[in-house]
Amino acid sequence: MAEPSTESLPVAAQAAAPLAAIVPTDLKALGESIAAAVPGGIVVSHEVALGELTVTVRREGLIEAMTVLRDSPAFACEQCMDICGVDWPDRAERFEVVYNLLSLTHNHRIRVVTSTDESTPVPSVHGIWPAASWYERETWDMYGVVFSGQPDLRRILTDYGFEGHPLRKDFPLTGYVEVRYDEERKQVVYEPVQLTQDFRSFDFLSPWEAMTTLPGDEKAHRTQPEPQK
């Protein structure tokens, strides 16, 4: 059976027809294509879960893998939409660095994951996607992941002089310092966290359960006059 001609299709559909032959629509097949295109065993694994493709790569080959994903016509990930972190304290390499890539050409998303520890740097991808500088700064600020080759690795979400990295699992929920405005000094001051125990006893009841009477209940107890016959 002859394949239908694309001459009758709209111009946009005709332009997309050759790309459909290059890029597999099945995410599992897309993962296999990525594993085959990235050389040297850089791709550790690829899996599809909840309708999303996740590709795990070795830290040492991150730049090579990302370059293939951006430059290869089969993947064409023109944008790095986000970089975030995940903390697994029980692992030797406790941090996962997650890259969410978008291809406008093929309308697909690819999640790339690599791992590291507290001291081993991850290669910066700001040379591939310049906008990644902000995301790498956020990941360093929140998790303490170091990015080698990043020329502007400064805090971006916390204040100057902030101690620690707030999204690590071992960071205390109360933090280390509290901030308040001192009326006498006319400035913002930083002080060690003080949790007054008098205000920390909870009965775990909702406001409605704690109230035995509600406004207006007294009307229900009034003697109602009998209706006149």
Side-chain angles (χ1 to χ4, degrees):
M1 181 176 179
E3 295 184 359
S5 173
T6 60
E7 294 181 357
S8 61
L9 297 175
V11 175
Q14 293 182 32
L19 296 176
I22 298 176
V23 181
T25 56
D26 180 60
L27 290 179
K28 183 177 180 181
L30 179 59
E32 294 173 352
S33 299
I34 294 173
V38 178
I42 294 175
V43 176
V44 177
S45 65
H46 57 86
E47 62 177 352
V48 178
L50 302 176
E52 298 179 345
L53 172 63
T54 300
V55 180
T56 303
V57 302
R58 301 185 186 280
R59 181 178 60 250
E60 298 79 8
L62 178 66
I63 298 300
E64 187 172 359
M66 293 303 203
T67 302
V68 171
L69 291 175
R70 184 196 65 176
D71 296 344
S72 173
F75 313 121
C77 294
E78 301 95 344
Q79 295 186 12
C80 177
M81 302 302 296
D82 183 37
I83 302 175
C84 54
V86 184
D87 185 12
W88 304 91
D90 296 333
R91 297 181 182 178
E93 293 189 339
R94 62 182 291 184
F95 300 115
E96 285 184 347
V97 183
V98 183
Y99 302 80
N100 295 304
L101 309 182
L102 170 65
S103 172
L104 298 175
T105 302
H106 305 307
N107 191 27
H108 63 222
R109 294 178 182 269
I110 301 173
R111 180 184 296 113
V112 179
V113 179
T114 192
S115 60
T116 188
D117 54 27
E118 299 181 47
S119 58
T120 306
V122 175
S124 173
V125 298
H126 83 280
I128 303 175
W129 298 285
S133 288
W134 283 53
Y135 306 140
E136 290 176 349
R137 288 178 59 185
E138 290 178 356
T139 306
W140 178 79
D141 196 358
M142 296 290 102
Y143 292 93
V145 175
V146 179
F147 293 91
S148 60
Q150 171 53 251
D152 191 23
L153 197 61
R154 295 177 293 136
R155 291 190 181 274
I156 191 172
L157 297 178
T158 57
D159 200 357
Y160 297 104
F162 188 90
E163 295 182 7
H165 303 279
L167 291 187
R168 288 187 177 187
K169 295 292 181 62
D170 51 8
F171 188 85
L173 295 179
T174 57
Y176 296 108
V177 296
E178 57 186 10
V179 182
R180 68 177 180 85
Y181 181 78
D182 190 294
E183 184 63 32
E184 296 181 357
R185 298 167 60 179
K186 302 296 183 182
Q187 67 180 34
V188 175
V189 296
Y190 296 82
E191 297 174 336
V193 174
Q194 295 181 358
L195 300 177
T196 305
Q197 297 302 316
D198 294 345
F199 299 98
R200 290 177 59 80
S201 58
F202 307 102
D203 56 11
F204 299 103
L205 295 176
S206 72
W208 297 110
E209 292 172 335
M211 298 179 66
T212 56
T213 58
L214 296 175
D217 283 356
E218 68 279 358
K219 297 179 182 179
H221 302 291
R222 292 178 181 175
T223 302
Q224 300 294 333
E226 295 183 0
Q228 297 181 357
K229 296 182 181 180

